[in-house]
Amino acid sequence: MEFQYTIWIVALPLLAFLINGLGSGKLPGKISGWIATIAIGISTFLSYQTAFQYFSSPSRDKIIAFKTTWLRFNDTLHIDLGVLLDPISVMMLVVITTISLMVFLYSQGYMKNEKGYDRYFAFLSLFSFSMLGLVVATNLFQMYMFWELVGVSSYLLIGFYYDKSSAVAASKKAFIVTRFADLGFLIGILMVSFYTGTFDFEILTNPDNLSFSTTASFLGLSTITWALLLIFMGGAGKSAMFPLHIWLPDAMEGPTPVSALIHAATMVVAGVFLVARLFPLYHAFAPTALEVVAFVGAFTTLFAALIACTQYDIKRVLAFSTMSQIGYMMLALGVSGYGGEEGLGYTASLFHLFTHAFFKALLFLGAGAIIHAVHSNDIREMGGLRKYQPITHLLFLIACLAIAGIPPFSGFFSKDEILAATFATHPIYFGIAVAVAGLTAFYMFRLYFIVFWGKEKTYDHTPHEAPTIMLLPMIVLAVGSVLTGFIPFGHFISSDGQSLDLHINWSVAITSVAIAFAGIVVAWKFYKTESDSSDKVARSFGSVYTSALNKFYIDEIYILITKGIVFRLIAQPLAWFDRNIIDAFMNLLAAITNWISSQIKEFQSGQVQKYAFIFISGVLIIVLSFIYATQ
Amino acid sequence: MGTSAIIFYTIATIMIVFSLLAVTSRKILRAAVYLLFALGGTAAVYFMVNYFFLAAVQLIVYAGGIVVLIIFSILLTSHIEEKMQKPDSWKIILTSILGLGGTTLCLYVITNHLFASQPSTGVEATMTTIGEKLLGYREGGYVLPFEVISILLLAAMIGAIVVAKRNKPEGNG
Amino acid sequence: MVEQVPLNHALIITTLMFFIGVYGFLTRKNLITMLISVEIMLNAVNLNFVFFDHYLFPGKLEGHFFSLFIIAIAAAEAAVAIAIFINLYRNIRSIDVEQVDKMKY
């Protein structure tokens, strides 16, 4: 049990949450921030220690570092709580603790003058705890529990500015949409556990000695396919895949560091992690489900990239970009095979997850620094910021290059592997992926040029560089964005646990880099200086542009479905039935009771003499009846 | 009709009349005094049946104790000159019907039943007999009820004090 | 007396007295006069006991002792009742029975 200390990685943020939560308002000064940061700092250290220890041994077996039975149904079916270490969970531990630590540090500067500082750090610690618990889950059910905890903490953090009605609405939207998706997840879990008799990942991810006790099918698909599709629905909800993505752009109402941590680097990749975790199951039993994963991923990546090109809110652009990148990861998982070169997609997906966490968190933190300086989210009110925020400018540029996939930044390597994986299997998906690579470069540099170049706007007060405590984490992340691409990722993580040598497919790489450069150049042409050429191009696209600007009216479709169909045609008649039949029946009973009681309450008048009168009359009547009866 | 019969019917008339007056008089103090006469009449009946001790107790406890208590409470709570309201007429009618009905019923039972009167055995309720019976624990002894009554009186005494005691903080009234 | 007055007549007297007490109890508004009515009823009952004892079971003195105990209990009852009346008067400035209905709910 050499890994027993890993329980502390999860437990420490919980401890910080409890201290900050229970002591909220009583802790002196800004100590709550430091409590949370130190807790997550120790977790980070332990995670690195774990990663070093785990990856330095040649075996890639699953290790149960800690386990306790929580709920026991029978010998095989029981719910445990524990810590499972395998390549992906160790990698996720590193990602989550690193990004968390950076965000916690950054938040100390960003949230300095905010009301509810204690609360913020309590929620943030809760989130870190939940996310860490999620990735080390030993079984599906533990994962589901932490999955919901993640949802709750996300809800709490999006609604952090609870006096702002838009934030409240956004938090509700995020919670309801993900909850709806989690319903599918839960049903999927129950189906899987019903037919396999276990929740345990150790057994579930080893398809060779797993058998499904049913051959039942529904709508032409086998039960297991349905179960895995439902589980993917949960993952799609958390990872903002089309059509369950609508909560993510609105979730940007939360504080920017929260967006960086939750809605860019960690929580939204939980869906990818989920599919990756169950990948052997998907691959062995439900190739159809994998095709769905690939299709949804491909569609979302293109869809989100298109929308991102038209948005004006800096955080929304990043949110759609996140969706697009997660779509990439899903696509890579969907096209992946199992073992050896076939499993390239799996490795590429998690590789991209890893690198994306760094540069996307950096982008969000950079956006936070900009918003902090300009006090606006709208990029039309920004421009020429490179003079005021030189360091932020540089860091943002690094992140943009990374996400655009320009060598030697990390995004290039991971994106290249994804493209290579699709190239080898599905030419159409490859086409989409390449197009999205270009679009990504375009919209990121559109953002970059508008914000940092462009024409200087008039600001209420001169924008200033962010304080050191905010810059420091950004610098760390920037270093990560540059260097993580050189990690020989295939040695650590692959679909079958065997070491996989990643090598650059030059034809693919050249294509993607060329496309990316094209995107950058177009963006430079349009946005380097203020000109109306971009508007002209936009207008030439006509309805496509307007619909992309309006996020392809998905929100409106949702409203149409919920309000127009569900509410009006189903809920309202049911409500009518409830009010006028069921409630009315109850009201009738109540009215009858009321009437009777008002009739008989006169008997209870409190007048002793009336009582005595009735009593004596009763006695006389009884006596009379006795006399009558005995005669 | 013998002498004792004449005396008895006279006393009976006095009791009935004063009872009636006690429940109908509109001056409260007078009602109490009429009650005193009715109780006195009862005591007289006890004398007639040779229950001297009981008659004495009746006079001492009722006439001497309860009536005095009632008069005190009247003085504490009422204006003695004030005439009480007449009860509502519907109340009088209803109650009269009830009372007359009850009386009729009882009288019907009484008059239709033949009681087998026993001749007097000559046992006197002397103080010695009463004392022995009251404290006797063999058959025909009443020591248990006697003790129970003593406890009851104690409890009533304490209860009366507690109930009537003035609440400390207020001090008015 | 046994020879000269039949038991029936004696019982008629007590019956009348008892129902006079009932009448008073049901019509009087003042609690003290109601107490007076109760005393009349108790008295009628006492007389009844004594008459039965004297006429039907002479020499056993059972009715005699019953009356004795009833008198004792009546004394206790009167004491407590009057204590309650005084307390009531102190609280609501009235001993009208119709106003004493606070506990009906």
Side-chain angles (χ1 to χ4, degrees):
Chain A
M1 278 291 145
E2 49 186 333
F3 283 107
Q4 210 150 32
Y5 61 85
T6 47
I7 187 68
W8 288 104
I9 299 176
V10 183
L12 281 169
L14 176 65
L15 208 63
F17 162 65
L18 290 177
I19 292 172
N20 283 341
L22 295 175
S24 179
K26 300 182 195 75
L27 298 171
K30 301 296 178 199
I31 195 165
S32 56
W34 283 111
I35 291 172
T37 313
I38 288 168
I40 198 74
I42 298 170
S43 285
T44 312
F45 173 75
L46 290 176
S47 305
Y48 285 176
Q49 167 71 21
T50 312
F52 180 74
Q53 204 177 335
Y54 184 85
F55 285 123
S56 55
S57 76
S59 153
R60 292 284 178 269
D61 292 338
K62 290 184 168 48
I63 296 175
I64 302 283
F66 176 87
K67 183 166 158 180
T68 171
T69 302
W70 180 65
L71 189 61
R72 189 178 185 84
F73 298 115
N74 58 37
D75 284 341
T76 51
L77 191 65
H78 46 87
I79 299 175
D80 299 335
L81 291 179
V83 176
L84 173 76
L85 297 179
D86 73 343
I88 54 171
S89 71
V90 172
M91 178 208 78
M92 287 301 286
L93 281 181
V94 170
V95 172
I96 293 164
T97 50
T98 310
I99 306 290
S100 291
L101 181 61
M102 294 310 137
V103 168
F104 276 55
L105 278 171
Y106 181 89
S107 297
Q108 299 209 6
Y110 190 83
M111 300 299 286
K112 202 158 85 189
N113 301 318
E114 297 284 350
K115 188 174 65 150
Y117 187 82
D118 297 356
R119 188 162 57 90
Y120 175 81
F121 277 100
F123 289 164
L124 218 52
S125 301
L126 176 65
F127 172 77
S128 301
F129 158 69
S130 323
M131 196 65 211
L132 291 167
L134 194 159
V135 295
V136 299
T138 57
N139 58 66
L140 264 176
F141 211 89
Q142 185 191 350
M143 193 166 180
Y144 182 72
M145 280 157 55
F146 283 98
W147 188 273
E148 292 301 339
L149 268 177
V150 166
V152 167
S153 38
S154 158
Y155 165 80
L156 292 170
L157 285 167
I158 296 169
F160 180 74
Y161 298 119
Y162 57 80
D163 46 2
K164 218 165 88 182
S165 63
S166 59
V168 173
S171 65
K172 280 195 284 192
K173 188 170 176 182
F175 194 70
I176 292 168
V177 173
T178 50
R179 247 331 306 190
F180 174 70
D182 294 346
L183 180 67
F185 186 20
L186 181 60
I187 296 171
I189 289 176
L190 294 178
M191 282 168 72
V192 166
S193 59
F194 182 77
Y195 287 117
T196 61
T198 182
F199 290 118
D200 227 314
F201 282 136
E202 273 190 298
I203 304 169
L204 283 176
T205 52
N206 205 347
D208 296 340
N209 44 19
L210 193 70
S211 64
F212 278 89
S213 54
T214 178
T215 51
S217 64
F218 178 67
L219 290 181
L221 293 175
S222 66
T223 316
I224 178 65
T225 309
W226 277 109
L228 291 174
L229 277 175
L230 284 168
I231 289 179
F232 173 64
M233 175 178 163
K238 271 277 186 289
S239 290
M241 289 292 101
F242 180 87
L244 295 168
H245 66 278
I246 52 163
W247 63 274
L248 187 59
D250 290 14
M252 296 301 134
E253 290 291 347
T256 311
V258 169
S259 308
L261 177 60
I262 302 186
H263 308 119
T266 54
M267 184 184 92
V268 288
V269 297
V272 179
F273 176 77
L274 175 64
V275 176
R277 170 60 88 203
L278 293 175
F279 186 74
L281 207 54
Y282 273 95
H283 185 259
F285 290 105
T288 326
L290 267 190
E291 279 170 32
V292 173
V293 172
F295 177 78
V296 169
F299 185 81
T300 308
T301 188
L302 183 63
F303 172 83
L306 281 174
I307 297 177
C309 296
T310 60
Q311 297 297 306
Y312 285 108
D313 183 318
I314 182 167
K315 284 176 74 181
R316 278 178 189 245
V317 174
L318 294 177
F320 281 108
S321 147
T322 305
M323 275 170 61
S324 173
Q325 298 301 311
I326 295 168
Y328 247 74
M329 301 171 204
M330 285 287 188
L331 171 62
L333 273 180
V335 299
S336 174
Y338 188 79
E341 285 292 319
E342 294 278 294
L344 179 63
Y346 180 87
T347 306
S349 168
L350 292 168
F351 192 16
H352 196 58
L353 190 161
F354 186 71
T355 56
H356 172 254
F358 284 92
F359 56 69
K360 188 48 70 67
L362 176 55
L363 281 171
F364 266 105
L365 295 185
I370 295 162
I371 293 167
H372 203 61
V374 183
H375 298 291
S376 169
N377 280 6
D378 196 328
I379 53 174
R380 282 168 296 194
E381 292 173 23
M382 304 169 186
L385 280 175
R386 70 182 189 284
K387 284 182 211 142
Y388 302 105
Q389 299 188 296
I391 304 174
T392 310
H393 166 227
L394 186 67
L395 297 171
F396 205 85
L397 178 61
I398 291 173
C400 283
L401 288 170
I403 196 173
I406 305 297
F409 298 98
S410 60
F412 165 72
F413 296 96
S414 55
K415 197 177 272 188
D416 182 66
E417 297 307 327
I418 290 180
L419 292 172
T422 53
F423 181 66
T425 49
H426 294 74
I428 300 171
Y429 288 154
F430 174 70
I432 291 175
V434 170
V436 170
L439 282 171
T440 307
F442 171 73
Y443 66 67
M444 283 323 298
F445 277 88
R446 163 176 177 266
L447 197 66
Y448 167 76
F449 283 124
I450 291 179
V451 171
F452 287 102
W453 298 77
K455 205 172 78 191
E456 258 185 67
K457 302 295 189 309
T458 49
Y459 300 109
D460 293 346
H461 58 90
T462 322
H464 50 85
E465 187 56 274
T468 324
I469 192 128
M470 285 163 70
L471 283 178
L472 199 68
M474 286 163 67
I475 292 167
V476 173
L477 288 172
V479 171
S481 304
V482 177
L483 295 182
T484 49
F486 296 105
I487 294 175
F489 208 75
H491 290 285
F492 300 132
I493 291 171
S494 61
S495 54
D496 55 356
Q498 306 300 317
S499 183
L500 175 68
D501 272 322
L502 296 182
H503 44 78
I504 291 167
N505 184 332
W506 287 108
S507 59
V508 171
I510 288 167
T511 321
S512 74
V513 172
I515 288 276
F517 267 115
I520 295 171
V521 168
V522 172
W524 181 73
K525 267 263 188 250
F526 282 174
Y527 299 107
K528 163 109 192 320
T529 50
E530 196 97 338
S531 70
D532 54 357
S533 54
S534 62
D535 288 344
K536 269 186 208 147
V537 177
R539 237 173 277 127
S540 69
F541 278 107
S543 59
V544 178
Y545 174 78
T546 12
S547 52
L549 186 64
N550 291 306
K551 299 169 238 165
F552 289 108
Y553 303 104
I554 298 294
D555 279 306
E556 284 72 12
I557 290 171
Y558 264 89
I559 286 178
L560 184 76
I561 289 173
T562 52
K563 277 221 175 104
I565 296 172
V566 177
F567 289 173
R568 227 196 25 232
L569 298 182
I570 299 171
Q572 277 183 0
L574 284 178
W576 181 88
F577 183 80
D578 187 51
R579 259 198 302 277
N580 292 305
I581 309 291
I582 295 175
D583 281 7
F585 179 68
M586 293 302 159
N587 287 342
L588 183 70
L589 285 185
I592 291 172
T593 313
N594 202 0
W595 181 78
I596 292 175
S597 61
S598 73
Q599 296 302 305
I600 62 174
K601 77 176 175 196
E602 290 302 315
F603 289 116
Q604 172 98 350
S605 59
Q607 299 294 332
V608 180
Q609 291 180 322
K610 276 186 189 166
Y611 297 166
F613 183 88
I614 290 165
F615 164 67
I616 293 167
S617 313
V619 170
L620 288 179
I621 289 167
I622 290 171
V623 170
L624 196 64
S625 54
F626 268 111
I627 292 169
Y628 181 77
T630 49
Q631 267 177 357
Chain B
M1 197 180 266
T3 332
S4 56
I6 296 169
I7 296 172
F8 176 78
Y9 289 121
T10 317
I11 295 171
T13 319
I14 289 172
M15 282 197 306
I16 303 272
V17 169
F18 279 109
S19 298
L20 261 178
L21 285 172
V23 299
T24 51
S25 165
R26 289 172 62 195
K27 290 204 168 177
I28 189 163
L29 199 56
R30 287 189 189 177
V33 176
Y34 295 143
L35 174 69
L36 183 61
F37 284 114
L39 297 176
T42 314
V45 174
Y46 294 159
F47 274 116
M48 282 189 70
V49 295
N50 290 331
Y51 287 165
F52 299 113
F53 179 71
L54 189 60
V57 169
Q58 168 87 3
L59 282 177
I60 294 167
V61 175
Y62 260 119
I66 296 177
V67 172
V68 170
L69 205 55
I70 288 175
I71 289 174
F72 267 119
S73 68
I74 289 171
L75 295 179
L76 277 174
T77 59
S78 314
H79 301 287
I80 50 172
E81 288 305 314
E82 197 180 315
K83 274 192 171 182
M84 287 186 292
Q85 286 173 298
K86 258 182 121 171
D88 305 331
S89 47
W90 60 266
K91 216 174 185 178
I92 292 176
I93 293 165
L94 272 181
T95 318
S96 303
I97 292 170
L98 184 73
L100 287 177
T103 315
T104 319
L105 183 69
C106 291
L107 292 185
Y108 170 78
V109 174
I110 290 164
T111 48
N112 280 301
H113 192 274
L114 192 66
F115 294 101
S117 296
Q118 304 286 321
S120 177
T121 51
V123 176
E124 293 287 309
T126 60
M127 285 307 290
T128 320
T129 330
I130 293 171
E132 279 172 356
K133 285 218 166 222
L134 209 52
L135 295 179
Y137 51 85
R138 295 200 179 82
E139 195 186 348
Y142 292 91
V143 71
L144 181 65
F146 182 78
E147 292 298 336
V148 171
I149 289 286
S150 68
I151 297 286
L152 176 78
L153 286 173
L154 179 67
M157 196 165 73
I158 296 170
I161 292 170
V162 170
V163 170
K165 201 176 64 176
R166 202 167 282 181
N167 292 333
K168 265 175 262 167
E170 295 177 348
N172 61 336
Chain C
M1 183 181 161
V2 178
E3 298 74 30
Q4 294 178 6
V5 180
L7 178 57
N8 293 355
H9 289 199
L11 293 183
I12 289 168
I13 306 293
T14 58
T15 306
L16 285 174
M17 215 170 151
F18 182 82
F19 280 99
I20 288 168
V22 169
Y23 172 82
F25 185 78
L26 293 184
T27 52
R28 290 289 205 172
K29 279 184 170 178
N30 190 308
L31 280 167
I32 293 175
T33 49
M34 282 173 71
L35 181 63
I36 290 174
S37 308
V38 170
E39 300 298 347
I40 289 172
M41 283 193 273
L42 279 170
N43 223 53
V45 171
N46 275 350
L47 272 174
N48 233 6
F49 275 116
V50 168
F51 283 140
F52 276 117
D53 175 67
H54 188 72
Y55 280 83
L56 302 181
F57 308 99
K60 291 196 175 167
L61 297 182
E62 280 161 340
H64 174 271
F65 282 108
F66 256 92
S67 302
L68 208 56
F69 289 133
I70 290 173
I71 291 172
I73 291 172
E77 165 245 304
V80 175
I82 284 170
I84 291 172
F85 296 163
I86 289 174
N87 203 0
L88 191 67
Y89 181 76
R90 213 183 271 152
N91 282 326
I92 66 171
R93 290 277 135 199
S94 162
I95 49 169
D96 189 333
V97 68
E98 286 178 0
Q99 291 184 26
V100 190
D101 58 359
K102 291 270 183 324
M103 287 174 76
K104 71 176 162 184
Y105 301 121

